[in-house]
Amino acid sequence: MESEAVTTPFGRRPISLALLLKQRRGEAIAAGTTRNKWKLFRSVCEARAGLGVTDRALTVLDALLSFYPEDELSGEKGLVVFPSNTQLSLRARGMAAATLRRHLAVLVEAGLISRKDSPNGKRYVRRDRAGGIDEAYGFSLAPLLARATEIEAMAARLAADRQMLRAMKERLTICRRDIAKLLAAAVEEAVPGEWERISSLFHALLQRIPKAATLDNLPPILEKLETIRLNIINTLESHEKVQMASTNESQFERHIQNSNPESLSESEPDLETGQEARPNDQPSAELKNNEQGRREDGGQGLQAVPRTHAGRLKSFPLGKVLQACPDIIDYGPGGAIGSWRDLMGAAVTVRAMLRVSPPAYEEACSVMGPENAATVMAYILQRGGCINSAGGYLRDLTRRAGRGEFALGPMLMALLRAKDPRLGKVS
């Protein structure tokens, strides 16, 4: 075991309070903590943007890990590696000495490694009579192991953000294509409507799409484009229904007049109360659902949010999800959840805590949608005492969702009814 005493840098390198705190935090490793060094390194690579390290610095970290003799990093064993500059440069793909020193400083500043310099600044090991390591001087990997859980959660969160951003870009591409073709069809079919104004609004929104799309700047534009698409579809459907009603009425009148002119007076009551008038009098189920989806979280029922994906589950209001599954709020930023993004970040943390594998959660996000997968993780956390294997349970729900055999409504309703029988009404 290496000494836990604070070691200051050799030579002219100064020590700062921030560097001292990082070094001490790197030694605070919980008993029994172990990680496979290459899996942890992959998590560091995935969380690179959040850690503030470059790809060249990761090359140096890769080289340092190769000098650690075991595959498992363990706080019970020495975590100091002591390669010479020549050997470290060779394993860092022939990196120049000056470049090597610069990227080692980046890793230290990022809190992934710490220096443990010897009295003369050399890296070496002093062994006992049995051949074991008595004292080692070089670079300590203890900070990397101490931050393993944080790094894994950060990597999963960034991966979820990337997946969500990719899904938004796909929705944006499809929405742009739909609007362009629907506008062309409306103009070609001479459907009454303010198509010139809508086209101008559409192109103005396209100009606002940023080159570097993020989860902060893309959703507002996507929401407006989806609203335009919905309005165009509603206008075209209304026009089609009016056309069909007029055509059917004319056909019935010609049929009555041609088949039996004398029975016209007997047929008039049937035309007034018949089936042909119903499409205009009764709204369709789709229009009812769209109208119902416009309601916010204020009602007692679990109304489906209108933002749904083809083939995926319907989402429910965030307020109702948190009302049914309040335990996940503690895992949000600052112990609070104010948006779907906060819930998805908390779900990533809960996933790691419940030992649900990243592939299982990514598959759930792909099949159910990121918001619904986060809702399911909140439900699993809420019912943690009744679920033996969170990962197996999530995979089972994902398979059922893929076959169209799973819905979120009954699941949330059961939790709400357990709290208050008057709640849990699904509209």
Side-chain angles (χ1 to χ4, degrees), residues 17 48 69 120 138 140 152 217 219 264 269 293 320 360 381 397 416:
L17 178 60
R48 187 186 74 178
N120 61 4
S140 174
E152 290 166 349
N217 58 27
L264 179 61
K320 283 298 174 184
L381 176 66
L397 293 184
L416 288 172

Side-chain angles (χ1 to χ4, degrees), residues 133-415:
I133 295 178
D134 183 40
E135 194 70 54
Y137 297 100
F139 296 102
S140 174
L141 302 173
L144 182 64
L145 182 59
R147 299 180 62 188
T149 301
E150 174 195 350
I151 291 171
E152 290 166 349
M154 185 185 301
R157 190 182 309 114
L158 290 174
D161 285 349
R162 287 193 296 269
Q163 184 175 6
M164 186 176 180
L165 182 61
R166 183 168 60 251
M168 282 190 176
K169 288 181 178 180
E170 292 173 355
R171 288 169 55 192
L172 181 65
T173 300
I174 294 174
C175 192
R176 290 176 59 179
R177 182 184 67 200
D178 291 347
I179 293 175
K181 293 193 174 184
L182 288 171
L183 284 173
V187 173
E188 184 177 353
E189 299 290 337
V191 177
E194 300 178 341
W195 305 123
E196 185 175 351
R197 181 186 66 82
I198 295 176
S199 179
S200 299
L201 179 60
F202 171 54
H203 287 94
L205 285 174
L206 294 184
Q207 296 296 325
R208 291 172 53 189
I209 298 177
K211 293 182 179 179
T214 66
L215 289 176
D216 295 324
N217 58 27
L218 195 59
I221 298 175
L222 177 58
E223 183 178 355
K224 292 180 180 179
L225 288 173
E226 289 181 337
T227 301
I228 291 177
R229 178 177 62 182
L230 180 61
N231 291 336
I232 295 174
I233 291 175
N234 289 340
T235 301
L236 294 178
E237 287 182 346
S238 299
H239 175 74
E240 183 66 19
K241 289 177 181 179
V242 170
Q243 292 293 100
M244 290 177 62
S246 300
T247 302
N248 291 337
E249 184 176 354
S250 300
Q251 290 176 350
F252 273 114
E253 288 179 354
R254 286 196 301 270
H255 174 72
I256 293 171
Q257 292 173 357
N258 294 336
S259 62
N260 192 357
E262 297 181 356
S263 62
L264 179 61
S265 60
E266 298 177 359
S267 301
E268 286 178 352
D270 293 335
L271 291 176
E272 293 176 357
T273 59
Q275 297 295 325
E276 297 305 320
R278 291 184 183 175
N280 291 330
D281 294 338
Q282 298 294 333
S284 66
E286 180 181 356
L287 294 178
K288 285 183 179 179
N289 291 335
N290 290 337
E291 182 63 26
Q292 182 183 16
R294 297 188 184 101
R295 288 183 288 175
E296 301 296 334
D297 298 356
Q300 289 295 328
L302 294 175
Q303 291 86 11
V305 175
R307 183 183 46 171
T308 58
H309 308 278
R312 293 186 178 178
L313 301 176
K314 288 186 177 180
S315 301
F316 288 90
L318 178 62
K320 283 298 174 184
V321 173
L322 298 180
Q323 184 181 2
C325 311
D327 288 356
I328 200 169
I329 296 176
D330 295 335
Y331 298 89
I337 292 179
S339 65
W340 279 107
R341 187 176 181 184
D342 292 344
L343 178 63
M344 286 184 281
V348 169
T349 303
V350 169
R351 176 206 66 73
M353 183 185 71
L354 297 180
R355 299 186 180 277
V356 176
S357 66
Y361 187 67
E362 290 174 4
E363 183 182 5
C365 290
S366 176
V367 174
M368 304 179 186
E371 297 94 338
N372 294 328
T375 300
V376 172
M377 285 306 306
Y379 172 81
I380 293 175
L381 176 66
Q382 195 70 30
R383 295 287 309 280
C386 304
I387 298 174
N388 294 328
S389 172
Y393 188 77
L394 179 63
R395 287 188 181 277
D396 180 62
L397 293 184
T398 302
R399 286 192 293 267
R400 290 169 56 192
R403 298 193 300 264
E405 300 173 355
F406 171 64
L408 290 172
M411 182 178 73
L412 298 177
M413 182 178 64
L415 290 177

